Amino acid sequence: MRPNLYGRFTVNLGVFVPAIQRGGLAERDWYSDYHCQVRKRVGELLDEQADVWWRLDHPDTEADVAATIRDHGLPWLARFENYVGLLDLWGSGGGAAVGLNYPAAPLDIADVLLHLGRKSDAEAVLRDYVGKEHVVGHADVVRTYLLDRGFGDLIDAGG
């Protein structure tokens, strides 16, 4: 059963990556965290990697939240100043390191690589991903993705 979180809040961080086109979100002036492809709760960035919720009525809450964002949130966000930072994180630790914690993250990384003109690198990511087993519904998503981006020759590469 979920704990009662009334009177508490958490901090979600997100980075919207324009080169990732799979979600089809139109350009806008403001993006909420749920629009962002790269996401983390600030508690995930702490040493204990806890799901931190602060009390609204605690006297130290404002200072604690400000310090947590300053010491952990902003440095994490700074890693995404450009596409190269995102790709470096992906290369060092995969989806969990970046905050792309979903099965189709390699498709999104391939979009970034394509945006940067690195077609052969994108193809390598896609070739590896296609070689993995996917549930039927997701296999259709992968097929559509590959066709839309000119990698139809990889459809049968997964076996």
Side-chain angles (χ1 to χ4, degrees), residues 57-130:
D57 60 356
H58 194 280
D60 296 331
T61 294
E62 182 180 354
D64 288 348
V65 171
T68 301
I69 291 171
R70 181 192 65 238
D71 297 343
H72 302 281
L74 294 178
W76 182 78
L77 289 169
R79 299 170 89 179
F80 302 100
E81 182 178 355
N82 54 47
Y83 292 127
V84 173
L86 182 139
L87 294 173
D88 286 347
L89 279 173
W90 172 265
S92 69
V98 176
L100 295 169
N101 296 328
Y102 46 87
L107 302 180
D108 294 338
I109 292 298
D111 272 351
V112 172
L113 291 164
L114 290 170
H115 177 79
L116 295 174
R118 295 171 52 184
K119 186 174 180 180
S120 62
D121 291 335
E123 182 174 350
V125 169
L126 294 171
R127 189 172 298 283
D128 178 62
Y129 188 64
V130 169

Side-chain angles (χ1 to χ4, degrees), residues 6 19 22 28 34 41 67 69 75-76 79 86 98 131-132 136 139 155:
Y6 181 79
R22 205 167 46 84
R28 50 182 44 192
Y34 52 82
R41 278 221 172 127
I69 291 171
W76 182 78
R79 299 170 89 179
L86 182 139
V98 176
K132 295 183 166 102
V136 174
I155 291 173

